[in-house]
Each structure stands twice: as C-alpha cells, then as structure tokens.
Amino acid sequence: MNKYIFTFLLIFVSFTSFAGVSVSEKKALISIYQSLNGKNWNTKWDLNKSETTWFGVQIVGDKVIALDLSNNNLSGTIPTEIGQLVHLQKLNLFKNQIEGQIPNVFGSLKDLKELNLAFNKLSGSLPTSFVDASSLKTVELYMNQLSGELPILIGKLQQLENLSLYNNNFSGELPKSIYELKNLKILLLSSNSFSGKLSYEIENLKALENLSLFENNFVGQVPFELESLTQLKEMNISYNKFNGLISYALAKKDSFQMMMLNDKGVAYKLPLVTDNTGVVGSPD
C-alpha cells in the first residue's frame, strides 16, 4: 500500500512541477513577448513549448511569481496585459531598450515586491495608481527619461526599502508623505529637477542608510535633523541651492562636503556653524 501511495505522490509532484499557468497569465506572457519584440531577444521563447521552459519565467504552484528578462535586448513598450500577472513578486527588465510609459496597471500587482525597470528609455510620469502596489520593497527606475512629480500618496508604500530614481527628469517638490516611509533604507534621487525645501520630517526616516539628492534644485536650510539619522552611512546632497549654516557632522557625511550652487551657478561650500575654536568656518 505504501508503495502505491509513494508512486502516486511521485506522479502528482511531477505533474504539478510541469503544469501550466492560467489562460490569462499565459496570454499576458505572450503579449509581453510580442510587445517587447521577442523575436529579437538575446534568449528567445519558443511559444510552441510550455511556458515552464521559457527563459526568465519563474512558476510556482501554477502561478507566475517572477519575470527576469534583464539585459536581453527587449524593445518596444510594456503592455497593459502585464497587470494580469497578479501573482508576480519580482519583475526585472533592467538594461534593455524599452520605451513608452509605465502602465497604470502596475498598481494592481498587489504581490509585487521587487521592480527594476532601470536603464531603459521609459518616459512620462509615474502613474498615481503605482502606490497601490502595496507590497513593493524595491523600486529601481534610474537611468530613464521619466518626468513629472512623484505621486502625492507615495507614503502608502509602507514596505518600501529602496527607492532609486536617479538620472531622470523628475521635478517638483517631494510629497510630504515620502517622510512616512519608515522602512526606507535607500533614497537615491540625484540628477533630476526636484525643487523646494527638504522637510525637517526627514528625521522620521530612521532606517535610512543612503541618501542622495545630488544635482537637483532644492533650496532652504539643510535640516539639522539629518544628524539624528544614526543609520545614515552615505549622503550626497551637494550641487543644490541649499543655504544657511551646517554642522561639521553633516559636512563630513556629504561626499562633496556641502558644495552648493548660487543663483549665478557658481559653486561654493556652505559655511559651518562653528569649528573647534568656536569660529564660523568652512569644511575645507
């Protein structure tokens, strides 16, 4: 009897290991292949074979949970059908030639934890529905042509640990809700066109380890509250238009020692509150 049970279980496990995904998920994968010019991929899919054999597709329990097509010569635009991959936890399309906008349907991917669309040619703004992907921990969109302001409710992404948006064309002030991302460890916004003041509420980002606001248009006093971020190991907020005095502690943390640009575009270092002799100085 035990022998028959073992044989049955073996057959069952073998079957489930190679079973296909739902019709809607398979259609979504095919749509991705067609929209992103699969015939020109470095590693192609054979659509005549089971989706379980397709490169970069990870299937568990008949559900597509990951799609990794990084550096695979993808081009074209991301189809809205990607929203049908409702069990997706990881999407990596890093370093391809993808154009167009990020579809609104990303907000429907409730299980998505890791998103990497960096090093492509994406344009347009980050859709407001993006903040509904509430499981996101990592968002890497750097080295694209994205623009516009960040979604005002970006603070809804309470699981977010890494937000990397550098080298794009984002603009406007940082949404107040961004200071509610208490699990955020990495915030990289350099080489954009962000403006406005950096709020003292940045002290709420207790987990922050790496902060880069380099080369934007931020103004106003550099918040002394940055000193309270004990986990902060790397910081670069230079080449903005911050003004006022700074402390030695902050100057030492910054990669360029608080080098700013004045209204004429001339670089200068922010003066220190005091040096060890009690005299106002510079971080030279």
Side-chain angles (χ1 to χ4, degrees):
M1 187 67 177
N2 289 336
K3 179 180 179 181
Y4 290 120
I5 293 174
F6 176 78
T7 303
F8 172 77
L9 289 174
L10 184 62
I11 294 172
F12 177 78
V13 170
S14 299
F15 175 77
T16 53
S17 298
F18 294 97
V21 300
S22 68
V23 173
S24 61
E25 285 188 293
K26 185 167 185 177
K27 285 183 177 179
L29 290 173
I30 293 173
S31 180
I32 290 169
Y33 186 79
Q34 294 172 339
S35 296
L36 296 176
N37 293 310
K39 292 181 180 180
N40 294 321
W41 291 2
N42 295 331
T43 304
K44 305 173 180 63
W45 293 349
D46 186 344
L47 300 186
N48 293 317
K49 292 184 178 180
S50 169
E51 61 275 15
T52 58
T53 68
W54 295 351
F55 170 77
V57 180
Q58 184 178 353
I59 299 172
V60 174
D62 301 345
K63 298 175 175 64
V64 179
I65 65 163
L67 184 60
D68 188 344
L69 298 171
S70 56
N71 200 19
N72 198 37
N73 198 38
L74 279 63
S75 60
T77 59
I78 301 173
T80 57
E81 285 83 359
I82 199 169
Q84 296 173 13
L85 299 178
V86 294
H87 305 289
L88 201 63
Q89 298 177 24
K90 175 182 178 180
L91 177 63
N92 188 352
L93 304 181
F94 171 77
K95 202 174 184 181
N96 284 290
Q97 303 293 322
I98 303 171
E99 300 176 329
Q101 299 188 3
I102 297 175
N104 282 321
V105 294
F106 270 95
S108 64
L109 300 178
K110 305 297 185 183
D111 293 336
L112 190 62
K113 297 178 181 178
E114 299 178 37
L115 175 64
N116 190 341
L117 303 179
F119 236 107
N120 280 284
K121 298 179 179 180
L122 294 166
S123 58
S125 60
L126 199 57
T128 55
S129 61
F130 190 81
V131 302
D132 294 326
S134 55
S135 295
L136 277 170
K137 289 188 175 182
T138 299
V139 175
E140 296 179 287
L141 304 176
Y142 57 88
M143 300 296 291
N144 276 287
Q145 300 164 17
L146 296 166
S147 59
E149 299 184 7
L150 298 185
I152 193 170
L153 297 179
I154 197 168
K156 289 177 63 178
L157 299 175
Q158 286 292 298
Q159 305 303 315
L160 198 60
E161 297 179 359
N162 180 348
L163 181 60
S164 298
L165 307 178
Y166 59 89
N167 284 85
N168 276 287
N169 299 311
F170 287 111
S171 60
E173 298 185 13
L174 296 185
K176 188 175 182 180
S177 69
I178 202 169
Y179 303 110
E180 299 172 6
L181 299 174
K182 296 184 179 181
N183 289 307
L184 196 63
K185 297 179 180 179
I186 299 172
L187 180 60
L188 306 180
L189 305 179
S190 57
S191 299
N192 278 285
S193 296
F194 289 110
S195 58
K197 296 182 178 181
L198 190 61
S199 173
Y200 70 91
E201 291 182 284
I202 197 168
E203 67 181 351
N204 295 330
L205 304 182
K206 301 296 185 184
L208 200 61
E209 299 175 359
N210 189 346
L211 171 66
S212 181
L213 307 178
F214 175 81
E215 200 177 39
N216 279 284
N217 296 309
F218 289 106
V219 298
Q221 173 70 48
V222 176
F224 284 103
E225 287 79 5
L226 281 169
E227 291 185 44
S228 69
L229 301 180
T230 56
Q231 300 302 311
L232 191 60
K233 301 178 180 66
E234 297 181 52
M235 183 179 78
N236 188 350
I237 64 174
S238 287
Y239 287 89
N240 280 282
K241 297 179 180 179
F242 289 119
N243 53 42
L245 301 176
I246 55 170
S247 68
Y248 273 105
L250 286 180
K252 288 179 180 178
K253 283 187 176 182
D254 186 80
S255 300
F256 287 84
Q257 295 186 317
M258 300 293 186
M259 184 72 74
M260 300 298 160
L261 296 175
N262 64 19
D263 292 337
K264 296 181 180 179
V266 178
Y268 72 102
K269 287 184 180 180
L270 290 181
L272 299 177
V273 173
T274 178
D275 63 16
N276 56 9
T277 65
V279 179
V280 172
S282 71
D284 290 326

